[in-house]
Amino acid sequence: MSAGLHVLGPVDEIPVGEGRAYSVASEQIAVFRLRDGSLRAVSAVCPHKGGPIADGTIDRAVVMCPLHQHAFELETGCSTTGAGPLRSYPVFADGSQNVVVRFP
Amino acid sequence: MTALASRTGRSTPGDTRRRLVVIGNGMAGARAVEEILARGGAVQYRVTMFGDEPYGNYNRIMLSHVLSGEEDAGGIFLNSLDWYRENGITLHAGVRVEKIDRFAKLVFSDDGRATPYDVLIIATGSRSFMPAVEGLYTPGGRLLPGVFAFRTIDDTQGMVSYAQQDHHGRAVVIGGGLLGLEAARGLQSHGVGVDVVHSGGHLMNAQMGPDGGAVLRRSVEALGIRVHTSSRTTAILGGDKVRGVQLRDRPDIECDLVVVAAGIRPNVEVAVTSGLPVERAIVVDDHMRVPDEDEIYAVGECVQHRGEVYGLVAPLWEQAAVLADHVTGADPSSVYLGSRTATKLKVAGVDVASMGLQAPERDTDEHVVFSEPSRGVFKSIVIRDSKIVGATLLGDSRKVAYLTQAFDRGLPLPEERVSLLFDLGGPGDEAGVAELDGDAQVCNCNGVSKQVIADTVKGGCTALSGVMDATRAGKGCGSCKLLVRQVVEWAADGAVAEDPTAAYYVPGVPLEKAALMTAIREQGLRSVSAVFAALAPGGAEDAKSKMGLASLLKMMWAGEYIDERDARFVNDRVHANIQRDGTFSVVPQMKGGVTSPEQLRRIADVADKYNIPMVKLTGGQRIDLLGVPKEDLPKVWADLDMPSGYAYGKSFRTVKTCVGQEFCRFGTGDSTKLGIQIESRFQGIESPAKLKLAVSGCPRNCAESLVKDVGVVAVDGGRWEIYIGGAAGAHIRKGDLLATVDDPGTVTLLAGRFMQYYRERANWLERTYSFVPRVGIEQLRAVIVDDAEGIAARLDEAMQRSVDSYADPWAERNSPFTPGQFRTSLPLEVLPRVPVR
């Protein structure tokens, strides 16, 4: 994984309250656009059975994997239902309303 | 050669192990040896066992099964002769020990052998008690031919072969206790007519009081066994073989066979002869040691411990463990303090459980009794100082696990004593959770064991929803939720935290469904985000609540609903069912399961064009295209050019039909036509849980209408039966008959009215198989058929609005509702895929 900032595309590609998956430098990332407009980014593959996290249902705090309803905190990636953690990434929208994710 | 080798091996001069001799090879003796071996005793001891019977060790409790023919005699052995050989145990089977020389440390047996010991265990057990009855024995001192005890394999096999001989068609069993009733039932299975003669005032008087005994008598008599209580047998009639029994003050009973089951007596003769302390049985201390004898132990039915003599197997296991702790030195602090005996068994096909007192003894004792003789059910519980001190249960063992636990541990009891006797208001649990093994799987979907749930509770999580969240037990098909609740209650010793969210329609909004609907209507909340903002604590969204709210709002507002796609589950966003590998399944509508060559050709072309890995017929009579990537969904729908079959939603799914009168020679109604009509009308209607329907053209029910949420059956005379609340999935339930009506139009009307009522009243994810019994079929019939509440017109109108607002979701293929609606979320790396066949 290459450290630094990566531009993923326009924020408007992500409907409010939903997530979309991106492939960045061999990493799979699910980016969510919360109803307050803020963004969250976590790894896109559920550690439980490989479910597509970007298809999950979210609120302000967690995302629920669509396959077996494991829940993960969007801020930290930690599971609230006993699964392994997702990786979480700093993410923001830049001045031209593009999604930017930072790899450590 | 082998035998010789093992014989010399035992007397190897270099073998410095001490000599352990066991008198008795029954369940107690063999168990004690097993426990000793389990503690590494083979290193310390050379073991020699004497057994009266010429066999290995068998499970005496199972003899009643051998008698009834359910079990083969060979099938009840606990330890075969091989086991003795493999463990280096010298077994003298068929050899009786006559005397112990405590000073020379020798036992003398009837084969003339004197066997030295360093440590001795006496496990001589009991024998059948033979009452003083004239004519029981021949002049030669043997039992009269046709008289049997019921204690050993030989007794049992003798009884079977005698009963099977010609003209031996009637038997009398002396003794109406546990063993006597087992013998009576077993003999019946050989076609023998049986009378039970019991000297006590009621059956099983050692385990229960007169009221329970009377109920048991009814159940036993219902099996065809005649019962004579308060009847003493005074003589066995017949000089050369049994011809009858004579009773005091009663007419004689003719019979060919007599079984004596009048109790057991401990075998103490060897101990008495050898000068050991014997009262009612051989006296032992808390280490199972005979007082003043450092090297002599006794165990099982032949011992008297703190004044008690036990005739059950459970105390024996406990005694054997303590004995082994001391004989091997594994745990010198181990003590046996007596057993609280709770018995749970099946006697002659009747469930019987008893523990502690049979009846109240003090004025202040509470006595809770329920008696239903016609069903053979009797329950009696004696309570002292709010603790159970005794219980008898007959014919219904469902609460036994809980009661046994409450009795053993002195658990606090519910205020409402009747709930000790019954599970009120819920379906009965088949097996008591207390009896489940720790590794028993409670949730079969997510593989959660009883132990995991119990550990979670012990870890401080005592609310049902919390445990379900933490373990995911009950979060699959949901059919185990009741069991999960019971395990949580059991693990929390009744101290389950109140779970206020359980009553809420969805966990994130603290309102029950009716109050929630009122608030939504009054405040005009038309979107999920508006509901959270207005009604959730702090206006907080809750992911778990979104789907249920979306369904409710759509039902309430129909065309006026503001559809926020993020409130939907992914299936409802992309109108397909997500699969384990992140691909989707596509099920086009096929009304009533009727298709055409043209449709089939198109489906086949689509399957070819998109390399569909699996094409599968569904249980709802449709065709499922599995393994479709999300990005292909719009193209697949376009090429199919068929409407959605809604195989993914919490909604009306499908109507299964049979061929019906058009073709079937048995058909009495046009089931396919009605099925298609119903499906056309209610397609896509969202509901608290999925709705599966069926229409059958005759009572042969080929479309399985009795196990559908709504099932319709054509009956002769042009009439139609409507069943509701059936299920045949995770839960099996036969539907309740709602009404029988004259025409298909009324079927559609009432089905729609029921579904609307269900949509308005059912909890989120509550299937009709729960909803219908919860509300009650009478109430439903009153509302839906008789319009007792005057809401029928409103229900019909609400349903009509939903019907009118239907739009085929697969039409979104041309203009996606949201950006990237059908963009892949699938990671690029290969995930587990549905296997291609």
Side-chain angles (χ1 to χ4, degrees), chain B residues 392-596:
Chain B
T392 306
L393 292 102
L394 263 179
D396 176 1
S397 58
R398 275 175 295 182
K399 294 296 280 186
V400 171
Y402 166 73
L403 291 172
T404 308
Q405 202 179 352
F407 173 74
D408 281 345
R409 298 208 223 151
L411 298 183
L413 305 179
E415 289 284 317
E416 210 181 3
R417 303 296 197 216
V418 67
S419 55
L420 290 168
L421 301 178
F422 305 101
D423 287 312
L424 298 173
D429 51 332
E430 279 100 32
V433 294
E435 293 170 8
L436 288 177
D437 279 347
D439 30 336
Q441 190 152 295
V442 172
C443 175
N444 288 324
C445 291
N446 291 329
V448 186
S449 68
K450 174 182 164 187
Q451 193 63 50
V452 168
I453 296 174
D455 290 347
T456 307
V457 173
K458 301 252 153 60
C461 184
T462 55
L464 178 65
S465 58
V467 173
M468 285 172 60
D469 278 345
T471 63
R472 293 187 320 117
K475 296 227 151 185
C477 72
S479 63
C480 64
K481 266 187 203 163
L482 182 68
L483 188 56
V484 175
R485 165 183 287 281
Q486 289 170 342
V487 173
V488 171
E489 285 169 353
W490 167 81
D493 270 356
V496 177
E498 271 311 306
D499 193 356
T501 65
Y504 303 159
Y505 173 70
V506 287
V509 181
L511 290 170
E512 292 182 24
K513 183 168 182 175
L516 176 62
M517 285 173 67
T518 306
I520 287 170
R521 205 171 287 119
E522 283 174 356
Q523 301 181 38
L525 308 170
R526 293 177 193 212
S527 70
V528 172
S529 61
V531 172
F532 283 128
L535 303 175
E541 287 176 60
D542 175 47
K544 281 191 286 185
S545 304
K546 284 183 162 184
M547 192 181 175
L549 289 174
S551 168
L552 183 70
L553 292 170
K554 178 85 193 299
M555 187 270 290
M556 291 177 67
W557 297 108
E560 299 167 71
Y561 165 62
I562 299 169
D563 183 6
E564 293 166 341
R565 287 299 168 100
D566 64 306
R568 296 186 177 200
F569 182 56
V570 65
N571 284 5
D572 298 311
R573 291 182 198 164
V574 303
H575 320 299
N577 197 350
I578 192 166
Q579 306 294 308
R580 61 180 301 166
D581 61 353
T583 65
F584 291 83
S585 92
V586 172
V587 181
Q589 188 179 59
M590 206 169 267
K591 290 176 185 171
V594 177
T595 182
S596 66

Side-chain angles (χ1 to χ4, degrees), chain A residues 3-72:
Chain A
L5 298 178
H6 296 263
V7 177
L8 305 186
V11 170
D12 286 345
E13 277 187 357
I14 310 174
V16 171
E18 293 190 41
R20 292 290 180 257
Y22 296 86
S23 178
V24 193
S26 80
E27 293 287 297
Q28 318 285 323
I29 298 179
V31 180
F32 294 91
R33 186 176 176 193
L34 274 50
R35 281 206 156 258
D36 64 5
S38 63
L39 299 173
R40 301 283 184 277
V42 291
S43 44
V45 186
C46 181
H48 173 228
K49 291 275 172 80
I53 292 293
D55 281 339
T57 310
I58 62 163
D59 53 30
R60 301 282 165 90
V62 300
V63 55
M64 274 166 53
C65 175
L67 290 195
H68 304 99
Q69 279 69 53
H70 269 299
F72 303 87

Side-chain angles (χ1 to χ4, degrees), chain B residues 115-131:
Chain B
T115 308
Y117 67 82
D118 297 303
V119 172
L120 180 68
I121 297 174
I122 305 175
T124 45
S126 312
R127 63 174 181 281
S128 298
F129 168 62
M130 289 300 188

Side-chain angles (χ1 to χ4, degrees), chain B residues 117 219 273 275 278 287 302 323 394 413 458 480 563 572 606 682:
Chain B
Y117 67 82
S219 301
T273 312
V278 175
H287 295 176
C302 65
L323 179 148
L394 263 179
L413 305 179
K458 301 252 153 60
C480 64
D563 183 6
D572 298 311
V606 165
F682 301 112

